[in-house]
Amino acid sequence: MTFYSLDYLLSQNNFTNKLYIGLLVVAFLAVGIGLIASFRNRLNMRYRDLTIIAFLAFLFLAGLTYTNLENTQTKSLQQNQMAAFAKSYAKDQDVKKYELSFNSTTMQDGMIAKEGNKFYQITLSKDQQSYSRTEVYLINTKAEVVQ
């Protein structure tokens, strides 16, 4: 079972969003360079064709980036809620940060918290504003903690 440390939950970032935005900037720069080259060499059609290809790549990447950002917005919000919950949980239960980890990166009813060598199942209320915890025992005690 994989557990995620408190530090991991607090420092999550979305690499794919950054990659798409980087590719989008490169495509935009290619369109700009292509436009400048085609204006300088009006008789040479290859610059115009390359500019059109770069512009179409820019539009494609813009669509991918928008779709990806839209899809990850909800996930990002849930991850931020989980990070806030993890900090609050550590404070409420008086657990040291390095001893605490969870088996989920988003808030879920029934997730498991690992506190040192003990495991607790977290039961959330319907509005996710309160929780209860019950000590549980894992069948497979191999717990990998992602830092």
Side-chain angles (χ1 to χ4, degrees):
M1 184 178 287
T2 303
F3 286 85
Y4 303 95
S5 70
L6 184 58
D7 290 334
Y8 177 83
L9 293 172
L10 295 174
S11 66
Q12 286 183 26
N13 58 9
N14 197 337
F15 176 73
T16 55
N17 285 344
K18 292 177 182 177
L19 178 68
Y20 282 139
I21 291 172
L23 290 173
L24 190 64
V25 168
V26 169
F28 184 74
L29 290 174
V31 169
I33 291 170
L35 283 173
I36 291 170
S38 63
F39 283 135
R40 284 187 177 181
N41 303 309
R42 291 181 191 260
L43 298 176
N44 195 344
M45 296 303 240
R46 71 175 171 189
Y47 292 116
R48 184 189 67 147
D49 294 341
L50 290 174
T51 303
I52 291 171
I53 291 170
F55 181 69
L56 290 175
F58 173 76
L59 288 179
F60 176 72
L61 289 171
L64 277 178
T65 303
Y66 178 75
T67 302
N68 190 39
L69 288 173
E70 192 175 73
N71 289 339
T72 59
Q73 183 178 13
T74 303
K75 184 179 176 184
S76 183
L77 178 63
Q78 290 174 342
Q79 289 172 342
N80 290 341
Q81 287 176 338
M82 181 61 184
F85 169 76
K87 285 172 69 174
S88 172
Y89 182 88
K91 182 180 176 185
D92 292 343
Q93 301 304 325
D94 197 29
V95 179
K96 296 179 177 101
K97 285 184 177 183
Y98 63 88
E99 291 180 345
L100 180 63
S101 56
F102 295 89
N103 73 333
S104 175
T105 58
T106 58
M107 285 181 61
Q108 299 176 14
D109 191 33
M111 65 184 167
I112 297 174
K114 179 180 182 290
E115 300 175 17
N117 293 327
K118 292 188 176 188
F119 298 92
Y120 296 93
Q121 182 176 12
I122 309 297
T123 305
L124 298 170
S125 64
K126 289 183 182 182
D127 62 355
Q128 294 188 346
Q129 298 299 315
S130 62
Y131 67 90
S132 63
R133 72 181 192 145
T134 312
E135 188 171 4
V136 293
Y137 303 94
L138 298 183
I139 294 171
N140 182 4
T141 58
K142 284 187 176 179
E144 175 189 346
V145 178
V146 177
Q147 299 293 331

